[in-house]
């Protein structure tokens, strides 16, 4: 079988030794779209990295039930919230094992010290791991966690208490996110003693259903099912990520049986996939948004009228037709219509190039040269960023704006696009992490997220004040009112041009059993099996 050939290639690259029989019967091969930035999910925000790390190797205190937005117990069997909403006490699951690998053998089960370590390294500047591997902690900082968490205490081996400075309505959903993965404090301490703390991000140890075996950069990642997994051993023995950036090549590999599952198909291939008897084409409306983020701290993009004019110069319907080919809908809000508090009353910027020219002239903007950054990988919210940038380039040329399209390797793209003095505008997007509007509005547009996930570098107090008010009330009707108002302010200030919400398509070979589309855009293989 072709699948054996791929598996053996991975074995050769990594010097591993698994039987051919195991590869043919119990190995699932996932054709991933890109390489992970690392294997410590708290350091990053990209779904590609989460797929390779938190979604296979780690667990959280609570997690999302597979295929849904419902939180369920995980490493914490239960939790209690104080009446004032300021204290969360988690009772941990006893007997949870960490992975044992060639590079680390744990001497104890998971306990409260691991939970404390996993958060304190992100929270405290004097923690020895705070600056390891860059120490950006984008989610933790972008979600105001340093101000929110007053203390984290190991009450006893199986009890952890979080004390907050204010109520936080989405707290439990936030703790089910990838950045909240629980790492081994014992392993981290041993690396620190050996003088190699950076290996925490390169040779991961977790409690999850699959343990890390090895990574050949830009080629293959291999995992094995963890025999002692607390929820029961996975049905598949081996998991392989075959890194395949080109969507057409991914499709050919799925057709040939070299991969079982692939993400982000080309819209032009969907019809052929749907008619292929060996493939099931799954689809689901995405919890996502794709956007063009201006750098609002750099002239002339610091001028709201310039941003509005550029938005009016871009023909979003043409982008939908050319890039999405029927698999998306125009976005007017920074949150998708599938999430509660979506404001139907907001009015999108119309496509009006003549008015755009007038507005630019009125602001004294002539012969503007700007960059548009195009992602090098496909994402659920953008199947072809380069082509999208080209459509924008053509549109903006009609109003006298000269656009240069630039790109970088995915890890560099994410890193450089965060810089406060970044030129021009960047194409990016977001798939929700927890089903809460805060996960879009605060993480991507809040003041605390400037220099991190807020690629518009936009801090607007009237908008941010509404987000902060919404965080501290548990009344969903009141939160809805605040978020609806925030969306109106967003449209008035235009830090982004909102482009599209896409439908998520997932081609899966028929022998794959019980794969579920993750509403948060992840690829989760625990619970999946292969038919004989």
């Amino acid at each position: 079988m072709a699948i054996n050939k791929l598996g053996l290639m991975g074995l050769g690259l990594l010097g591993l030794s698994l039987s051919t029989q195991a590869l043919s019967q119990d190995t699932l091969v996932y054709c991933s779209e890109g390489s992970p930035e690392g294997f410590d999910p708290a350091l990053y925000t990209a779904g590609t990295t989460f797929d390779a790390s938190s979604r296979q190797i780690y667990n959280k205190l609570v997690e999302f039930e597979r295929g849904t937005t419902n939180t369920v117990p995980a490493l914490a069997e239960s939790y209690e919230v104080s009446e004032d909403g300021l204290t969360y006490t988690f009772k941990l699951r006893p007997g949870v094992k960490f992975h044992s690998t060639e590079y680390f053998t744990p001497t104890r089960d998971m306990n409260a010290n691991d939970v404390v370590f996993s958060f304190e390294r992100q929270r405290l500047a004097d923690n020895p791991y705070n600056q390891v591997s860059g120490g950006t902690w984008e989610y933790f900082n972008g979600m105001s966690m340093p101000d929110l968490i007053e203390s984290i205490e190991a009450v006893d081996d199986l009890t952890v208490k979080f004390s907050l400075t204010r109520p936080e309505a989405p707290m439990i959903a936030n703790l089910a996110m990838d950045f909240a993965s629980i790492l081994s404090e014992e392993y981290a301490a041993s690396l620190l003693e050996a003088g190699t703390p950076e290996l925490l991000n390169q040779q991961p140890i977790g409690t999850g259903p699959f343990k890390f075996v090895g990574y050949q950069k830009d080629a293959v990642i291999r995992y094995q099912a963890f025999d002692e997994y607390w929820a029961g051993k996975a049905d598949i023995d081996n998991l392989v990520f075959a890194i395949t950036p080109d969507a057409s090549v991914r499709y050919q590999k799925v057709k040939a049986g070299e991969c079982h599952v692939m993400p982000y198909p080309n819209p032009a291939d969907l019809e052929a996939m749907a008619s292929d008897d060996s493939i099931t084409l799954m689809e689901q409306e995405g919890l996502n948004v794709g956007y063009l983020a201006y750098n609002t701290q750099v002239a002339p993009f610091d001028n709201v009228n310039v941003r509005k004019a550029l938005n009016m110069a871009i023909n979003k319907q043409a982008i939908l037709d050319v890039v999405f080919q029927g698999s998306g809908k125009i976005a007017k809000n920074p949150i998708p219509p599938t999430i509660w508090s979506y404001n139907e009353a907001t009015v999108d910027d119309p496509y009006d190039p003549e008015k755009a020219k007038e507005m630019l002239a009125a602001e004294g903007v002539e012969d503007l040269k700007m960059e548009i950054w195009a992602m090098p990988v496909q994402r659920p919210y953008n199947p072809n960023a380069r082509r999208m940038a080209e459509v924008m380039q053509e549109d903006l040329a009609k109003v006298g704006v000269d656009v240069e399209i630039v790109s970088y390797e995915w890890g560099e793209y994410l890193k450089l696009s965060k810089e406060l003095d970044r030129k021009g505008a960047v194409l990016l997007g977001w798939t929700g992490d927890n089903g809460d509007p805060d996960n879009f509005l605060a993480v991507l547009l809040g003041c605390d997220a400037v220099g991190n996930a807020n690629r518009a570098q936009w801090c607007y107090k009237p908008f941010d004040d509404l987000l902060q008010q919404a965080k501290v009330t548990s009344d969903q009707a009141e939160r809805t009112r605040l978020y609806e108002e925030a969306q109106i302010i967003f449209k008035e200030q235009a830090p982004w041009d909102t482009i599209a919400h896409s439908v998520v398509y997932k081609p899966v070979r028929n022998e794959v059993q019980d794969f579920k589309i993750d509403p948060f855009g992840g690829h989760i293989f625990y619970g999946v099996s292969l038919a004989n």
Side-chain angles (χ1 to χ4, degrees):
M1 288 178 63
I3 235 165
N4 289 1
K5 187 183 296 183
L6 177 67
L8 290 171
M9 178 192 74
L11 295 180
L13 285 169
L14 297 171
L16 306 175
S17 56
L18 292 172
S19 73
T20 303
Q21 183 180 11
L23 285 169
S24 62
Q25 293 181 353
D26 300 306
T27 296
L28 187 145
V29 183
Y30 169 59
C31 263
S32 65
E33 79 287 358
S35 299
E37 302 149 277
F39 292 91
D40 181 348
L43 291 165
Y44 308 107
T45 62
T48 307
T49 298
F50 295 156
D51 279 343
S53 58
S54 44
R55 292 163 183 162
Q56 321 305 333
I57 299 169
Y58 299 107
N59 291 116
K60 281 77 71 178
L61 291 172
V62 292
E63 296 182 344
F64 295 106
E65 182 182 13
R66 193 165 62 100
T68 80
T69 60
N70 303 322
T71 55
V72 294
L75 294 182
E77 286 189 318
S78 64
Y79 63 88
E80 294 179 356
V81 185
S82 63
E83 197 169 316
D84 60 8
L86 297 179
T87 304
Y88 286 71
T89 304
F90 294 88
K91 290 294 183 181
L92 302 184
R93 189 178 299 276
V96 173
K97 309 296 183 186
F98 279 104
H99 303 155
S100 181
T101 68
E102 292 181 358
Y103 49 87
F104 179 71
T105 301
T107 65
R108 61 166 175 80
D109 293 346
M110 184 274 303
N111 66 28
N113 291 331
D114 302 305
V115 178
V116 172
F117 164 73
S118 298
F119 289 96
E120 296 289 58
R121 68 196 182 110
Q122 302 179 63
R123 189 174 80 92
L124 300 177
D126 61 355
N127 186 284
Y129 270 91
N130 185 256
Q131 293 302 310
V132 172
S133 300
T136 51
W137 317 120
E138 286 189 53
Y139 269 109
F140 192 84
N141 293 326
M143 295 167 68
S144 308
M145 288 285 176
D147 296 329
L148 172 67
I149 298 175
E150 184 173 278
S151 65
I152 308 172
E153 177 188 354
V155 178
D156 57 43
D157 274 0
L158 294 177
T159 309
V160 179
K161 183 170 74 174
F162 286 69
S163 298
L164 308 185
T165 59
R166 61 176 186 271
E168 177 79 355
M171 184 66 178
I172 292 299
N174 289 346
L175 291 178
M177 291 166 55
D178 299 272
F179 84 94
S181 296
I182 304 305
L183 280 63
S184 166
E185 184 268 345
E186 181 187 23
Y187 178 48
S190 71
L191 292 176
L192 202 62
E193 186 177 351
T196 56
E198 70 282 352
L199 292 183
L200 196 70
N201 188 31
Q202 298 167 24
Q203 295 181 339
I205 294 289
T207 60
F210 297 98
K211 63 180 182 180
F212 178 78
V213 176
Y215 171 41
Q216 178 74 20
K217 184 173 170 55
D218 300 330
V220 65
I221 315 171
R222 289 192 59 85
Y223 310 85
Q224 287 179 330
F226 181 34
D227 289 339
E228 297 180 276
Y229 184 49
W230 57 268
K233 181 180 175 294
D235 289 324
I236 51 176
D237 289 335
N238 307 297
L239 176 64
V240 175
F241 278 35
I243 298 167
T244 313
D246 189 292
S248 297
V249 176
R250 291 200 295 275
Y251 178 34
Q252 292 305 314
K253 286 184 175 183
V254 172
K255 284 176 66 176
E258 296 179 17
C259 292
H260 292 100
V261 181
M262 66 166 280
Y264 320 129
N266 285 327
D269 291 332
L270 294 175
E271 187 176 346
M273 290 175 177
S275 61
D276 190 326
D277 291 340
S278 68
I279 293 172
T280 299
L281 183 62
M282 305 173 70
E283 67 175 273
Q284 183 171 291
E285 190 166 353
L287 192 72
N288 62 48
V289 62
Y291 59 82
L292 178 74
Y294 304 107
N295 188 342
T296 62
Q297 296 195 22
V298 173
F301 311 106
D302 56 345
N303 183 332
V304 63
N305 292 327
V306 171
R307 300 195 297 267
K308 296 284 277 187
L310 295 175
N311 285 359
M312 293 169 69
I314 293 171
N315 186 345
K316 291 198 279 194
Q317 186 57 55
I319 290 173
L320 263 287
D321 294 341
V322 171
V323 178
F324 289 85
Q325 299 182 30
S327 63
K329 60 178 65 174
I330 288 175
K332 67 175 183 177
N333 287 324
I335 65 174
T338 48
I339 204 167
W340 60 271
S341 83
Y342 181 85
N343 193 340
E344 297 283 1
T346 56
V347 178
D348 203 8
D349 298 310
Y351 173 55
D352 190 342
E354 289 305 315
K355 180 66 173 176
K357 278 196 282 191
E358 292 175 14
M359 291 175 67
L360 290 173
E363 299 303 318
V365 176
E366 298 179 358
D367 302 320
L368 174 62
K369 296 181 186 294
M370 67 177 286
E371 291 182 358
I372 289 182
W373 292 33
M375 297 175 297
V377 298
Q378 286 133 329
R379 306 304 301 151
Y381 47 75
N382 192 332
N384 190 334
R386 179 77 193 192
R387 187 70 188 100
M388 186 181 291
E390 290 169 352
V391 174
M392 292 178 170
Q393 184 182 51
E394 294 165 9
D395 286 342
L396 290 168
K398 296 171 185 174
V399 300
V401 176
D402 183 9
V403 169
E404 178 188 1
I405 299 171
V406 300
S407 192
Y408 300 90
E409 180 272 329
W410 185 220
E412 280 295 292
Y413 188 96
L414 292 169
K415 177 182 175 183
L416 295 174
S417 62
K418 291 188 295 186
E419 294 182 353
L420 295 180
D421 60 352
R422 185 202 73 234
K423 296 179 181 178
V426 58
L427 282 171
L428 263 175
W430 195 256
T431 297
D433 296 290
N434 64 13
D436 195 285
D438 180 81
N439 179 243
F440 284 81
L441 299 174
V443 172
L444 301 180
L445 294 159
C447 291
D448 287 337
V450 169
N452 283 306
N454 185 341
R455 296 309 206 279
Q457 317 299 3
W458 183 64
C459 177
Y460 190 64
K461 192 173 187 301
F463 177 88
D464 202 65
D465 285 350
L466 291 171
L467 304 189
Q468 297 306 320
Q469 291 175 50
K471 280 177 179 287
V472 299
T473 178
S474 58
D475 183 340
Q476 187 161 316
E478 175 62 8
R479 293 185 75 204
T480 295
R481 185 191 69 78
L482 293 166
Y483 289 138
E484 286 177 344
E485 189 177 339
Q487 289 166 72
I488 291 172
I489 292 174
F490 166 86
K491 290 309 292 186
E492 291 171 348
Q493 293 297 312
W496 297 350
D497 188 11
T498 48
I499 305 299
H501 309 293
S502 75
V503 175
V504 174
Y505 292 93
K506 204 74 60 179
V508 178
R509 287 192 60 83
N510 291 341
E511 56 265 35
V512 176
Q513 307 292 304
D514 203 28
F515 179 84
K516 296 183 185 295
I517 293 181
D518 178 22
F520 307 117
H523 295 86
I524 297 166
F525 297 106
Y526 182 72
V528 177
S529 62
L530 293 172
N532 291 329

